[in-house]
Amino acid sequence: MAPIVQKYGGTSVGSVERIQAVAQRVRKTCKSGNGVVVVVSAMGKTTDSLVKLAKDISPNPSRREMDMLLSTGEQVSIALLSMALQELGQPAISMTGAQVGIVTEAEYSRARILRIETDRIKQQLNQGKVVVVAGFQGITSRENLEITTLGRGGSDTSAVALAAALEADRCEIYTDVPGILTTDPRLVPDARLMSAITCDEMLELASLGAKVLHPRAVEIARNYGVPLVVLSSWTEDPGTKVTSATPTPRPLEGLELIHPVDAVEYDRDQAKVALLRVPDRPGVAARLFGEIGHQELNVDLIIQSIHEGNTNDIAFTVGKNCLVRAEAVAAAIAPTLRTHPESAPEEAEVMVDREIAKVSIAGAGMIGRPGVAAKMFSALAEARINILMISTSEVKVSCVVNAEDCDRAIAILCQTFEVSSSPVEGNAVGIYTAADPQAPPVRGVALDTNQARIAIRHIPDRPGMAAKLFSLLAEKNISVDMIIQSQRCRILNGIPTRDIAFTIALSDAPDARKVLTPVAAEWGFGEILVDEAIAKVSIVGAGMVNQPGVAAQMFDALAKEQINILSVATSEIKVSCVVEQSEGSKALQAIHAAFNLAEISSVEVTA
């Protein structure tokens, strides 16, 4: 029988009693006839204690020595758990990441796994032993033998990677919660357990701050079709299954360094509607998209840019067959938005562009690779293709371009990312795993308060500027989340310009400012604004594809609480709104209630 991989986090092995309880659970699994590999984290707050020790010695310790230090935490756990199993009469052996053959790139504190040499672990399994593996760590090539750590969530990553390499029956992730919930139960007490969720939905939720699973672990599960389940360490409840479609076969060599892009997608059946100078106040987006949803018009991308004065711009794309009705809705609403002339002295203007196309790169390997989007923008810039709109998610980057540039964009992106073919034309879900037709459109709600928004005014509107901007950030290993390009074009000194805003990790904001400030004048940029008091609230669900009104329902929930939306960005299965940080928790609670997630979360999802 194929082995089972189990992973236990720090709280699950936080004391002798808990280690003994884990040993009992592992022994019970062994009696089913499967071989068992157990991956464990350091006990309780051990890692935090080790970090504090290092800081007491040196305010800026080297990353190599930190990896050497932090890797010791898991060694305590594996030895103790192995002893506990042996006391129960179950043969067991503990192994470090190096001993088990987890080979990584030579990148301290955030190494990615290159391969797993499974001969030794298989030998021990064949002898009937439970193999207890130190998570979070690996080793570089046999020539250097440098100890490395995998970064935050590294034990999840270790477990799923081992399951992929061993072609395990399944990978079980044991935590201190009963499974994957619709949102953070600390903020929403009536958050409910999901019996199943797709890998694509989990990728988005994990990347939005849901801490039950790390995005890298979900990425590996998706890429290699690893059956994944999240369970409680304290109960026998079934937990949450994380499902994926049958993946395209891929080699295990370069396990986490595979091609980040699986497909180049395109859609020529798109038209853009933009409302310029919309009043910047709660309820405007809800009103617009509420009426669009009432007309049962499917909206694809939605972009709300940063405010300028007391107004901002909202743009969205629809299928060309819906354009006339969408334009009529926008034109009817525009005059009514001027209910407060002092806040919107000019009437909102409706602009329509029928000659556009959407091109996208898609792949679960994009996570944590800041250079992927920049590489796409650079490729389009080299082909002199201007980007009209940008939409990003964890597994897809989409750009709206002029229709006449679509074929060239597809060709250059396929060449750049070594993709031999692109899917058939159409606004398909693409990489996203389709949800069960009976599943609700929204599966979960996430809040991220650890983000900052950077806005750059008056960037010259010509091919290559976005590429230069995001390539520079990528060189400094700064990952960008939402990217929002304004629809309003300003002519300054005879040069057309637009604003670009993007969100990044709060901890990266000082570095981003430091990087961008010196080049602003050289590249012709205007003012650089940094807002560290924001929160991003998002809804995720594969069932929202081709479901009119989902975004409107989210916007309406925020409007009813008088929460102003600072910016909006969407993908096929995600809608994200930036709000004031002080209103983040209230926004999360309102949206969770609006979609009745406390009642409908038990619906099954199928791959």
Side-chain angles (χ1 to χ4, degrees):
M1 297 175 68
I4 292 173
V5 177
Q6 296 181 338
K7 179 262 177 178
Y8 294 90
T11 56
S12 300
V13 292
S15 66
V16 169
E17 293 76 19
R18 289 183 177 181
I19 289 173
Q20 290 170 331
V22 168
Q24 292 281 2
R25 189 184 288 266
V26 172
R27 183 167 177 263
K28 182 179 178 180
T29 305
C30 292
K31 289 182 177 179
S32 67
N34 293 81
V36 181
V37 175
V38 183
V39 177
V40 293
S41 301
M43 295 175 64
K45 300 293 184 180
T46 298
T47 300
D48 293 340
S49 299
L50 293 173
V51 170
K52 184 179 183 305
L53 280 173
K55 294 294 185 181
D56 289 343
I57 294 292
S58 168
N60 188 29
S62 77
R63 286 165 54 196
R64 181 191 183 277
E65 300 309 329
M66 284 301 294
D67 277 8
M68 185 69 75
L69 174 67
L70 297 182
S71 66
T72 64
E74 280 72 21
Q75 289 179 232
V76 175
S77 301
I78 61 173
L80 292 175
L81 180 55
S82 185
M83 293 175 193
L85 285 164
Q86 291 167 7
E87 282 298 303
L88 295 174
Q90 172 60 52
I93 183 171
S94 61
M95 290 187 179
T96 65
Q99 290 173 318
V100 85
I102 298 177
V103 181
T104 75
E105 61 183 343
E107 186 71 44
Y108 299 114
S109 79
R110 53 172 180 259
R112 290 186 179 270
I113 299 172
L114 298 176
R115 64 184 181 275
I116 299 179
E117 298 169 352
T118 58
D119 289 348
R120 188 174 181 188
I121 196 169
K122 287 180 178 178
Q123 182 184 41
Q124 298 298 328
L125 288 170
N126 289 336
Q127 294 175 13
K129 296 179 183 177
V130 171
V131 181
V132 185
V133 180
F136 177 65
Q137 62 182 249
I139 195 167
T140 60
S141 65
R142 294 299 180 188
E143 291 75 28
N144 296 325
L145 299 178
E146 289 289 301
I147 292 175
T148 55
T149 64
L150 308 182
R152 189 176 71 83
S155 291
D156 287 352
T157 305
S158 301
V160 182
L162 279 164
L166 294 168
E167 298 181 339
D169 185 69
R170 63 185 180 276
C171 181
E172 300 173 346
I173 305 292
Y174 287 88
T175 71
D176 54 1
V177 294
I180 299 165
L181 304 178
T182 50
T183 194
D184 188 340
R186 294 169 299 180
L187 300 177
V188 183
D190 63 354
R192 289 293 181 263
L193 177 70
M194 288 183 270
S195 58
I197 187 172
T198 67
C199 266
D200 297 314
E201 291 168 323
M202 193 63 235
L203 274 171
E204 297 288 5
L205 286 172
S207 301
L208 291 166
K211 296 181 173 62
V212 178
L213 281 174
H214 193 274
R216 282 170 62 184
V218 184
E219 172 193 351
I220 297 169
R222 191 194 190 287
N223 285 338
Y224 291 95
V226 176
L228 190 59
V229 60
V230 179
L231 303 138
S232 169
S233 296
W234 323 122
T235 71
E236 298 295 329
D237 294 338
T240 304
K241 295 177 183 177
V242 184
T243 66
S244 61
T246 303
T248 302
R250 63 184 75 217
L252 285 163
E253 185 70 31
L255 194 144
E256 279 201 279
L257 295 180
I258 56 171
H259 288 166
V261 174
D262 292 329
V264 174
E265 302 171 3
Y266 64 100
D267 187 1
R268 291 190 180 89
D269 184 31
Q270 294 253 313
K272 181 179 74 172
V273 179
L275 274 79
L276 309 185
R277 295 183 296 278
V278 172
D280 183 32
R281 62 172 184 264
V284 172
R287 187 173 179 183
L288 170 62
F289 290 102
E291 184 57 31
I292 287 174
H294 182 69
Q295 297 292 327
E296 295 189 347
L297 301 176
N298 286 320
V299 174
D300 184 10
L301 305 182
I302 301 174
I303 301 292
Q304 178 180 306
S305 56
I306 55 174
H307 67 86
E308 185 166 333
N310 294 318
T311 68
N312 53 33
D313 306 332
I314 299 177
F316 59 94
T317 62
V318 295
K320 288 182 178 177
N321 64 329
C322 300
L323 178 59
V324 172
R325 285 185 293 158
E327 183 180 4
V329 169
I333 287 179
T336 69
L337 296 178
R338 219 180 137 199
T339 54
H340 301 286
E342 70 280 1
S343 65
E346 300 177 80
E347 185 173 301
E349 177 186 355
V350 179
M351 293 179 58
V352 173
D353 190 346
R354 295 171 174 82
E355 300 301 322
I356 65 166
K358 182 179 74 172
V359 292
S360 309
I361 55 173
M366 295 184 188
I367 296 168
R369 293 170 173 82
V372 175
K375 190 174 181 180
M376 178 186 191
F377 303 153
S378 296
L380 295 176
E382 289 172 10
R384 306 301 297 170
I385 296 172
N386 203 25
I387 299 170
L388 308 178
M389 294 174 73
I390 299 169
S391 174
T392 59
S393 77
E394 285 304 317
V395 291
K396 183 177 285 191
V397 181
S398 298
C399 293
V400 172
V401 300
N402 289 317
E404 63 184 13
D405 293 329
C406 183
D407 288 343
R408 287 193 302 123
I410 295 166
I412 194 67
L413 292 176
C414 284
Q415 178 183 343
T416 300
F417 292 103
E418 300 179 20
V419 174
S420 58
S421 63
S422 56
V424 295
E425 181 179 1
N427 189 22
V429 180
I431 190 173
Y432 300 109
T433 304
D436 188 293
Q438 301 302 313
V442 175
R443 300 287 293 154
V445 186
L447 175 68
D448 190 347
T449 57
N450 293 310
Q451 291 215 329
R453 183 178 64 169
I454 295 182
I456 305 177
R457 300 289 194 185
H458 312 313
I459 295 177
D461 185 27
R462 58 174 180 263
M465 297 312 297
K468 291 177 70 173
L469 168 62
F470 294 109
S471 293
L472 179 62
L473 294 172
E475 288 171 8
K476 302 300 180 182
N477 206 36
I478 297 173
S479 292
V480 175
D481 184 16
M482 293 171 57
I483 301 175
I484 302 158
Q485 180 173 275
S486 71
Q487 296 303 298
R488 206 178 312 186
C489 189
R490 295 257 182 216
I491 306 297
L492 296 179
N493 300 320
I495 300 173
T497 68
R498 296 184 190 272
D499 300 338
I500 290 183
F502 52 92
T503 58
I504 59 175
L506 185 61
S507 58
D508 285 336
D511 289 340
R513 188 200 292 267
K514 185 177 179 180
V515 166
L516 294 172
T517 300
V519 302
E522 177 188 347
W523 291 355
F525 293 175
E527 186 179 13
I528 298 174
L529 305 172
V530 180
D531 186 352
E532 298 184 354
I534 65 163
K536 184 180 70 174
V537 62
S538 307
I539 56 175
V540 172
M544 72 173 66
V545 177
N546 295 325
Q547 287 260 14
V550 174
Q553 194 174 345
M554 179 185 188
F555 301 154
D556 185 58
L558 297 175
K560 287 177 178 176
E561 296 295 328
Q562 289 297 299
I563 297 173
N564 198 29
I565 299 172
L566 305 180
S567 51
V568 177
T570 68
S571 71
E572 282 91 336
I573 68 169
K574 180 180 71 174
V575 181
S576 294
C577 295
V578 172
V579 300
E580 297 286 350
Q581 189 176 65
S582 60
E583 297 184 312
S585 295
K586 184 168 69 169
L588 180 78
Q589 293 159 0
I591 294 167
H592 192 271
F595 286 100
N596 299 315
L597 293 181
E599 285 77 35
I600 62 177
S601 59
S602 62
V603 176
E604 285 281 357
V605 176
T606 58

